[in-house]
Each structure stands twice: as C-alpha cells, then as structure tokens.
Amino acid sequence: MSKKVVIIGGVAGGATAAVRLRRLDEFAEIIVLERGDYVSFANCGLPYYVGGVIKEKERLQLVTPDTFLRRFNIDIRLNNEAIAIDREKKSILVKDRKENKDYNLDFDYLILAPGAEPIRPPFKGIEEVSVFSLRTIPDTYDIDEFITQNNPAHATIIGGGFIGLEMAENLKNRGLDVTVVELVDQVMVTLDREMAQFVHQELYLNDTDLVLGDGVDSFAKNTEGKTIVRTQSGNEVLTDMVILAIGIKPESKLAKECGLELGQRGHIIVNKNMKTSDDSIFAVGDAVQVIDLITGDSAVVPLAGPANKQGRIAADNIAGRKSEYNGVLGAAVVKIFDIVVAQVGLNEKRLKNTNIKYEKVYTYPINHPSYYPNREKLALKLLFEVPSGKILGAQVIGGKGAEKRVDIISTVIYFSGTVFDLEQLEITYAPPFNNAKAAVNVLGYVASNMLKGDFDYWHWDEAGKLVENNDYLLDIRREDEYVRGTIGNAIQMNDLDLRTRIDEIPKDKDIYIFCEEGYRAYIAQRHLTQRGYKVKNLVGGYIFYKMAQASKEELLTRIAFN
C-alpha cells in the first residue's frame, strides 16, 4: 500500500527529504507545501547576489517545481501555507494564497521542515526606517532593488554573525560604507575572542566600522531623511539602510499548536530517527533540537549541511530503513573579504561552563612552503581533553586552505580521535597545497608534547599577572622584532645567541620564554630544560598575545597575515 507523505517546507531539509523518499519509494505520494514563491533555493548564496558575485537570479533557485514534478513525480505546492495540524485525524489545514481558499490535506506521514525566521525585536522607531532582513529570495530582491533605486551611501548591519559579515563584504562590493553594530564585544560569537580579533583586523583593514559591546536602543529619522541608529550607550550612527542580522528563531508555531514536544528555546525535539513525539511526524532542519556529538547535550545548529542529512534520515525511516542521526559538530566556514574563517566543535567559552578538563594550543603556520609563491598565514586553535587528548574543537582563520584543516579535524572528532591521531594522520603534500609537516600534524605534535610532559607552558592570558609579579620573561626574538613590541620588561636574547649567552640566564628562577610564533622558543626551551633550567614556553607565541588584546589602531598596522 502506497504512503502519502506531506512535507511542510521545501528548502534544504524538506527538499532533500522529498527526493530521497522518491528514490526509495517510487509509489509514495509526496506533496511539498511551501508558503513562499520558491522551493529548493540557495539561502547561503543570497548575500553574494546582493554583492554582484552571483549575477543571474535563476542561479539562486536550485530546482524548479516543474523539475520536481517531471523528474521525481513530486507535487510542489507554492504559496500554500500549512495553517494547522490535526494529529488525531492526520490532517493539515492549508491556505492556498493564490486562490485565497482553505482546504484539508490528509497524510500518513508528515515531515516538518519549516526552518527559522529572522529575529526582529520591537525596537522603538523600527517601522519608520528602511530595515531589511535576509532569509529568502524576495528579501534579496528587496535589498537589491532598494540599493539600485536609492543609491545609498551607507548601510548599518545589526549583528556580527555569519550573515551580517557576509553582507558587510557584499555591501562594500556594491560601493557602500558599512558599520556593523554588535551587542557583545566581538563579532562571530562562536569563535573565542582572541581568534575573533583576526576577523576584526580584516574588517578594519577593509574600511568596515565596528561598534562592539553596544546594542541597538532605537531608530529614528533626521530632518534630511537619514536613518539614525541609536545604541544603548547613547552613540548614534547615521545611515541610509539597516540590515537586521541578529539571529533566527525556529518556525515551530505549528508544532507547538498541535502539541508536539518542544525544547526550552522552542525547537522541535526529535530522536535519532528525526521522529517527533508523534510517531507519524518527523522534523528536520533549523527548527529542530538535536544532540551535540561531543557532549551529548541538546544542541541547535541551523546549517544547511545538517539539515540535508536530517532530511535524508527522515525519508529513510519513513521508507522502512532504520537510519539514525548521530548528532552535530557545528562545522562551519565563512569568507570575510580576503580571509577564511572555519570552526568545528566546542569553543573555549562553552568548555569553561562544563566539567571537562581541557587544554589548548595555538599555531601560526603558512599554508604551503615559503619557497612557493603566494603563501598565506593561518591562525589555528585546537582544544582537547586532558589527559586523554580527545579533540574537542578547532578554529582556523587565514588564507586558502583554512577550511581544509577544519574538515580534517572535524573528521577526526567524528570518530572520537585524539591529538595523538593528529600526529599520525597522512596528509597530502605538494608545494602548491601544503607543507611536508602539515598544519594539522603540527597541532598534534604540540598538543601531544604538552600531554607527554615534553614541555611546560604558559598562555597569553597569564601575561598580565607575570608582568605584575616581575617574573623573568625571556624574549628570544631578533632585536628588530623586539623593538616593535614585547611583553612587560622582557629580556631580549636572540635564540641564535643562546648558547653563547646561556650564563646570563638565572637558574634559580622560573623562565617564561617566548618568540613570535612558539617554535624558536620551544627549541630554546628543550635546550635549557636539559641543562637544568626551569622554563615555560608561551603557547602560540607573541603573535597570539598581541592579537588577543590589540586595539583598533594596532590591528590597522596589520599585526597578523602580513
């Protein structure tokens, strides 16, 4: 007997579920309800249409309703909105917006893929000014049309997350000046702040203003028709248009009204089969609450990759195949002007709120050998459990290949790998692509050395206390590096002179050693330690110490990624 499956929502998760189910069951009746004008469109490509990188509108729509019907025999109903679900009768009340009529649609199985909607707080004056969000194709056209017709000189983006920063870059590409206003003291809150500083630098170097640690209070118009964005501190930003990018919330109203179990933040709770609290109803995508693969806690990761996997798994189970979704890692990547920002797993901010004992390492390699043209720097941070070495998370920022390194680490995390596994991984090497000592291998070397006790260490955030205590700081960089800045009253001694000047170093004190990136200091530390000195090495070197606390003016000197 054929099944009748209705899917509410036809973008990533919903569209994937529909075509996967058809591949498994040629005889199922599959209906997709989409309240908007488009199905299976490229949400993640929308900022790039605004910026002119994607020039043709039709490229944003991946598959048309006609293709769905002719290739898959799937009934796509655009402008058809699900109004209510009757779980007992297995029926949906649907409003056909084009025909302006309601009808009932029965189902054997239902997949909820409603996605999420942009958060739009009731700021005072928000209805009086030109405020846009970016979630759908019509949103994109509205922004593009406004820019084309009004030729604005300045845009203010509220929120410094993925969409906000992608929009910052693309609006700059359209010739606008841009200010990003962010409530917390950094952009991209999923990064640890010292890593976010590399992003701040890139934004400043591309003439993007940042207002950090200061949220929006209200909007207003001045006498010349300009928009005023007033912040909570009393500052004002004069602008021509506003993009709201402060986050999203799940579209779970239907699920709530029909009595499905929801999480604390309103997301639909599902099991590993993507089944809700009703055996006939599945849910996928941005509206669901799943499991964090590392901690086992509840998690919400509104990304296209997880949504597509979840849609496939829901379809498998409806078709009679037992398939499970093991959880999310939150692997993500974004391009911001000339750098790549990639991350996976837990950040340090989250780890501090757990009972997990962890450590961290930083490295600052180049993405391929220095003798090959166009080398670029990468800033890497790895978090791992102590003493097991189990990898907990990573953040990589910099030039080409940043995402490759995170993809490798993500794979190791998925299989419960450790830093000792990173040491042993066999990574492809050729001068255009990688170093013979691959960056992920080096992360493994440093972290495993730490766990094996091969070197003692200190971190950049301990520097203030060391300076205050007048501890012995030894800067073994060259003099030209030293004069550009050091830590406190550190003694400068070129590492190449260490063997001839070793008697100048006191044996009765703890030596806190550092160089630019950590490697030279490690070599010196191994030398000194074997001669009886008590030496601790600054993990990641001076570059991470400097970046972590650099002001806007200092970042504009291009501390990193020279």
Side-chain angles (χ1 to χ4, degrees):
M1 182 177 176
S2 63
K3 307 178 184 74
K4 185 174 184 179
V5 181
V6 177
I7 301 171
I8 297 176
V11 190
T16 295
V19 296
R20 171 64 173 174
L21 184 58
R22 173 58 73 225
R23 291 196 297 270
L24 298 178
D25 188 342
E26 176 59 28
F27 303 103
E29 182 181 359
I30 304 172
I31 300 169
V32 177
L33 301 175
E34 173 55 55
R35 70 183 180 189
D37 297 319
Y38 302 91
V39 68
S40 188
F41 61 88
N43 311 63
C44 300
L46 300 182
Y48 300 99
Y49 179 80
V50 174
V53 178
I54 299 171
K55 300 184 183 302
E56 298 85 8
K57 289 183 177 182
E58 56 271 17
R59 287 188 175 273
L60 295 175
Q61 192 168 4
L62 303 177
V63 185
T64 65
D66 181 63
T67 300
F68 270 108
L69 181 62
R70 295 172 61 190
R71 179 173 290 158
F72 300 109
N73 190 27
I74 293 173
D75 181 1
I76 302 290
R77 301 184 184 182
L78 299 180
N79 298 293
N80 276 242
E81 181 178 8
I83 303 299
I85 300 168
D86 188 325
R87 289 168 52 194
E88 187 174 337
K89 294 181 179 178
K90 288 192 174 183
S91 178
I92 306 165
L93 177 62
V94 183
K95 175 176 283 296
D96 185 328
R97 289 179 165 185
K98 280 195 172 180
E99 299 295 328
N100 194 27
K101 67 178 183 181
D102 296 347
Y103 64 94
N104 289 299
L105 181 63
D106 63 322
F107 63 87
D108 295 311
Y109 292 98
L110 173 63
I111 300 177
L112 298 176
E117 61 178 328
I119 295 172
R120 186 182 172 96
F123 294 122
K124 182 181 177 182
I126 193 170
E127 302 300 335
E128 302 171 18
V129 298
S130 300
V131 175
F132 302 88
S133 295
L134 185 63
R135 187 70 180 171
T136 66
I137 289 179
D139 293 338
T140 311
Y141 294 164
D142 288 344
I143 294 170
D144 180 64
E145 183 179 357
F146 181 87
I147 294 172
T148 300
Q149 293 183 356
N150 296 278
N151 195 29
H154 185 276
T156 298
I157 298 170
I158 313 301
F162 284 74
I163 295 297
L165 298 188
E166 286 176 335
M167 283 302 297
E169 176 184 351
N170 282 284
L171 289 172
K172 290 290 294 183
N173 288 344
R174 287 288 290 265
L176 281 75
D177 291 326
V178 174
T179 297
V180 177
V181 178
E182 172 55 60
L183 178 62
V184 299
D185 66 348
Q186 67 169 85
V187 299
M188 295 196 70
V189 295
T190 52
L191 295 175
D192 291 316
R193 193 182 187 282
E194 75 274 20
M195 299 300 288
Q197 281 280 77
F198 292 89
V199 183
H200 297 161
Q201 175 178 260
E202 185 69 11
L203 292 165
Y204 287 138
L205 290 172
N206 283 278
D207 298 319
T208 302
D209 291 329
L210 297 179
V211 178
L212 301 175
D214 195 4
V216 172
D217 176 72
S218 61
F219 299 100
K221 286 270 191 181
N222 68 9
T223 54
E224 298 175 349
K226 289 272 192 179
T227 294
I228 301 170
V229 181
R230 292 195 176 97
T231 68
Q232 294 171 1
S233 70
N235 288 328
E236 294 186 349
V237 178
L238 200 62
T239 193
D240 298 306
M241 64 183 298
V242 175
I243 307 289
L244 277 184
I246 57 179
I248 56 176
K249 59 183 179 181
E251 289 261 24
S252 55
K253 181 173 179 287
L254 280 174
K256 181 179 180 180
E257 290 177 347
C258 75
L260 295 178
E261 187 179 357
L262 303 181
Q264 290 185 345
R265 295 163 55 193
H267 295 83
I268 305 167
I269 294 177
V270 294
N271 65 13
K272 285 192 171 185
N273 307 120
M274 304 313 299
K275 187 182 292 184
T276 69
S277 52
D278 186 313
D279 285 343
S280 299
I281 303 177
F282 294 74
V284 303
D286 295 356
V288 305
Q289 174 180 301
V290 290
I291 298 298
D292 185 302
L293 193 58
I294 298 173
T295 66
D297 297 331
S298 298
V300 175
V301 178
L303 295 170
N308 281 304
K309 294 178 184 69
Q310 293 160 14
R312 180 184 177 92
I313 288 167
D316 281 357
N317 283 283
I318 289 173
R321 294 191 177 189
K322 298 302 179 185
S323 183
E324 292 187 347
Y325 186 67
N326 293 325
V328 291
L329 290 174
V333 64
V334 61
K335 173 185 176 296
I336 302 171
F337 293 103
D338 294 324
I339 65 170
V340 178
V341 181
Q343 61 192 100
V344 67
L346 306 180
N347 58 31
E348 192 171 1
K349 287 179 286 191
R350 284 188 61 192
L351 281 168
K352 286 179 178 178
N353 293 318
T354 71
N355 294 320
I356 300 172
K357 187 178 180 182
Y358 71 93
E359 253 307 343
K360 58 190 175 185
V361 296
Y362 302 92
T363 60
Y364 191 60
I366 49 179
N367 62 350
H368 58 64
S370 58
Y371 58 79
Y372 190 85
N374 303 318
R375 68 177 187 175
E376 296 177 302
K377 278 286 189 177
L378 299 170
L380 296 89
K381 179 176 184 178
L382 185 75
L383 294 150
F384 55 95
E385 188 179 51
V386 175
S388 71
K390 180 181 177 182
I391 301 172
L392 303 171
Q395 299 160 42
V396 183
I397 302 172
K400 293 177 182 177
E403 75 290 347
K404 171 184 175 179
R405 277 72 180 184
V406 164
D407 287 342
I408 293 169
I409 295 169
S410 178
T411 304
V412 175
I413 295 175
Y414 186 85
F415 291 106
S416 301
T418 69
V419 299
F420 307 109
D421 294 314
L422 280 190
E423 284 187 291
Q424 299 294 333
L425 280 184
E426 187 170 344
I427 308 297
T428 57
Y429 161 65
F433 307 106
N434 209 343
N435 292 288
K437 291 182 180 178
V440 293
N441 292 141
V442 173
L443 278 175
Y445 298 153
V446 177
S448 61
N449 283 343
M450 192 180 282
L451 291 173
K452 293 171 185 174
D454 287 345
F455 77 96
D456 206 350
Y457 53 90
W458 61 289
H459 289 298
W460 63 266
D461 50 5
E462 301 174 57
K465 185 177 180 180
L466 296 178
V467 172
E468 184 181 338
N469 293 341
N470 199 31
D471 285 305
Y472 192 92
L473 291 162
L474 180 61
D475 184 340
I476 63 161
R477 297 177 299 159
R478 300 185 310 271
E479 187 170 350
D480 63 301
E481 296 172 300
Y482 177 80
V483 297
R484 290 199 297 268
T486 189
I487 301 174
N489 294 316
I491 304 298
Q492 186 267 331
M493 185 182 297
N494 191 320
D495 73 300
L496 297 178
D497 300 328
L498 186 64
R499 294 183 182 275
T500 59
R501 297 180 59 186
I502 193 168
D503 291 340
E504 299 176 32
I505 303 172
K507 269 196 170 181
D508 60 345
K509 293 184 178 181
D510 287 337
I511 311 300
Y512 294 90
I513 197 170
F514 64 94
C515 65
E516 191 75 359
E517 300 170 13
Y519 177 70
R520 285 175 286 173
Y522 173 62
I523 299 300
Q525 179 190 35
R526 294 301 301 158
H527 172 201
L528 292 171
T529 299
Q530 292 177 74
R531 290 183 177 273
Y533 291 85
K534 295 176 290 184
V535 186
K536 294 186 178 183
N537 183 15
L538 173 57
V539 180
Y542 182 77
I543 189 71
F544 282 95
Y545 161 81
K546 186 66 176 175
M547 283 296 294
Q549 51 207 337
S551 65
K552 174 182 178 179
E553 290 69 30
E554 290 172 319
L555 291 173
L556 282 168
T557 65
R558 195 179 281 274
I559 296 172
F561 304 143
N562 285 316

